[in-house]
Amino acid sequence: MQQILLLKYLGFSLSEIREMTIGSGDAQVLLNSLQIQKRLAEERLEEMKNVIAAIDSTSQALKSNQQVDWSQMLKLIHLTAMDQSLSLQYKNATNISARIRLHRDYSLNQEGWFPWLFSNLHLKPGMKILELGAGNGALWSQNIANVAKKLDVPMVYLSTDYVFDGQGTTPWKPDFKGYKPMNVYGETKLGGEEEVANTLDKYFIVRIAWVFGVNGHNFIKTMLKVGANHDEVKVVNDQIGTPTYTFDLARLLVDMIETDKYGYYHATNSELPATESGYDENGTKTGYISWYDFTKEIYRQAGYDTKVTPVTTAEYGLSKAVRPFNSRLDKSKLVENGFKPLPVWPDAVSRYLEILKKQRFFDELGK
């Protein structure tokens, strides 16, 4: 509740807050929330200092029988508080839509956020664009005339399996149009897909899932931290998909944008080839995997002896967010169009763990 109230104070809508708070069981999320609250408290202290200064100034004026400009004093307090509040809202608004709303409501630039942003991109014919988060696609839809008439640029737009309903067991085909987003995040990404496809002629819409990389937080880092301090962890085994390593994905995207084989694609790391037992010689799950299988392999490669217990999503019960049971993405179109598939996911985990070792990540955990 505190986190919800905090985000509401920052100007986020309830729909935005829902996606930012639900499922936030990670201690890091709570820590981030506390740090934001601390900054807000510090902001309030600064505002109160201005109030105290104004009171002292007014008191001195009264003592010396000088005329007090009350309207100016009140204006000073109001403007200082409002300016600081808006500034902090903008800095803390990691959700891009919140920043856009602040720009729209308070900026002296009446051109509008997206037209202004587009004009400052200085795009030229022949350029290539990698769009890592077009959100609802407004950057392109609000500049459709400029894009269509003046530019000839190919674009890569990263999306997600959340544009589907997450049900069933059949892998999602990249050109399947039976969209049914399961939450606001999925709706937003689908909106971005549609705006890009309706605005541009040359585009790659690439859907990914279960992403991990060197920067930021991800499932692997979280499970390594949890496993270092617990004898047993419980992980869901009825949400199925395949991880995506950002390093491998980046190489594919570079290859893609050098071609004219535009369209929709799915790109996660590859699954291990199927075996009769369903496992390879290391005991690693073949084919599509669950978060439970993913955790087992992470711990095996990291040398953890933490017990991993499989549970259903219902049994786990910590997150109230709607999450896909079926994140299987069919990647056959990559091969059909001459692109090299991403390496198998256990290999990606191995290379990623080596980077964490070099960064002394395990030293911080006492492992």
Side-chain angles (χ1 to χ4, degrees):
M1 181 58 71
Q2 290 294 327
Q3 187 177 0
I4 291 173
L5 292 175
L6 169 63
L7 294 171
K8 194 72 177 74
Y9 172 79
L10 285 174
F12 293 95
S13 69
L14 290 177
S15 61
E16 292 167 337
I17 292 172
R18 180 179 184 275
E19 291 306 307
M20 296 169 69
T21 57
I22 289 178
S24 299
D26 193 335
Q28 186 61 46
V29 175
L30 178 58
L31 178 59
N32 291 341
S33 176
L34 291 174
Q35 290 173 342
I36 292 175
Q37 292 185 54
K38 179 183 177 182
R39 289 197 296 271
L40 288 173
E42 292 171 344
E43 171 208 8
R44 184 61 62 192
L45 286 173
E46 288 298 317
E47 291 179 2
M48 295 311 298
K49 287 179 181 178
N50 289 324
V51 173
I52 292 172
I55 292 173
D56 289 340
S57 176
T58 304
S59 298
Q60 289 297 324
L62 288 172
K63 289 178 181 179
S64 59
N65 295 318
Q66 296 178 6
Q67 185 176 357
V68 178
D69 187 350
W70 295 103
S71 62
Q72 188 64 30
M73 299 302 299
L74 290 173
K75 183 178 180 181
L76 170 64
I77 296 172
H78 174 69
L79 290 179
T80 302
M82 184 179 72
D83 180 68
Q84 290 181 346
S85 177
L86 289 176
S87 175
L88 272 174
Q89 283 190 49
Y90 189 86
K91 291 176 182 177
N92 288 335
T94 53
N95 186 308
I96 187 63
S97 61
R99 291 194 180 207
I100 293 168
R101 184 172 62 253
L102 288 169
H103 182 281
R104 180 194 65 210
D105 294 342
Y106 297 105
S107 176
L108 297 177
N109 174 14
Q110 296 304 312
E111 183 180 2
W113 173 273
F114 287 113
W116 174 85
L117 178 61
F118 186 85
S119 66
N120 281 274
L121 290 177
H122 303 299
L123 299 177
K124 299 177 181 178
M127 283 186 171
K128 298 179 175 65
I129 303 172
L130 171 59
E131 174 59 79
L132 296 179
N136 60 8
L139 173 62
W140 308 105
S141 63
Q142 293 186 23
N143 293 284
I144 188 168
N146 290 326
V147 174
K149 296 178 181 179
K150 298 182 180 180
L151 298 176
D152 180 26
V153 293
M155 174 177 168
V156 175
Y157 174 73
L158 293 181
S159 191
T160 172
D161 63 292
Y162 275 64
V163 300
F164 305 118
D165 66 10
Q167 302 301 308
T169 58
T170 303
W172 301 105
K173 295 279 189 178
D175 293 305
F176 176 67
K177 303 301 181 185
Y179 305 123
K180 192 176 180 181
M182 44 193 315
N183 54 25
V184 175
Y185 172 66
E187 291 173 358
T188 301
K189 296 303 289 185
L190 177 59
E193 287 189 13
E194 292 173 338
E195 293 294 352
V196 169
N198 293 334
T199 303
L200 303 175
D201 294 323
K202 299 178 179 181
Y203 60 84
F204 299 90
I205 292 176
V206 183
R207 301 191 187 103
I208 57 179
W210 298 18
V211 182
F212 68 92
V214 175
N215 299 313
H217 303 291
N218 58 61
F219 183 78
I220 295 181
K221 287 182 178 179
T222 297
M223 297 314 297
L224 289 173
K225 292 176 182 177
V226 173
N229 299 298
H230 294 78
D231 296 327
E232 178 184 7
V233 296
K234 295 180 179 180
V235 187
V236 295
N237 67 344
D238 56 358
Q239 297 176 21
I240 310 300
T242 319
T244 308
Y245 183 23
T246 55
F247 177 83
D248 295 334
L249 175 65
R251 297 181 66 177
L252 171 66
L253 299 182
V254 170
D255 290 341
M256 273 188 169
I257 208 164
E258 293 298 328
T259 74
D260 58 359
K261 298 176 181 178
Y262 309 116
Y264 291 79
Y265 291 89
H266 289 165
T268 68
N269 281 88
S270 300
E271 298 77 34
L272 288 173
T275 61
E276 186 175 348
S277 66
Y279 297 89
D280 71 0
E281 64 276 8
N282 295 314
T284 305
K285 183 74 171 65
T286 59
Y288 293 100
I289 65 171
S290 68
W291 292 106
Y292 162 77
D293 300 315
F294 193 13
T295 305
K296 290 276 289 183
E297 180 64 12
I298 294 168
Y299 286 176
R300 184 190 73 81
Q301 292 197 27
Y304 279 33
D305 57 6
T306 307
K307 180 181 179 181
V308 185
T309 301
V311 295
T312 65
T313 299
E315 290 171 337
Y316 190 67
L318 291 179
S319 175
K320 301 300 182 183
V322 179
R323 303 194 181 280
F325 288 100
N326 182 17
S327 293
R328 302 171 180 87
L329 295 179
D330 185 308
K331 299 173 285 291
S332 58
K333 188 175 178 180
L334 290 175
V335 177
E336 293 169 1
N337 283 277
F339 296 115
K340 184 179 179 180
L342 276 61
V344 293
W345 66 269
D347 174 73
V349 170
S350 175
R351 287 179 284 118
Y352 181 63
L353 292 181
E354 286 301 315
I355 291 177
L356 292 184
K357 290 176 183 177
K358 292 178 181 178
Q359 294 179 337
R360 308 186 72 83
F361 176 84
F362 291 97
D363 293 346
E364 298 176 3
L365 300 180
K367 298 293 287 187

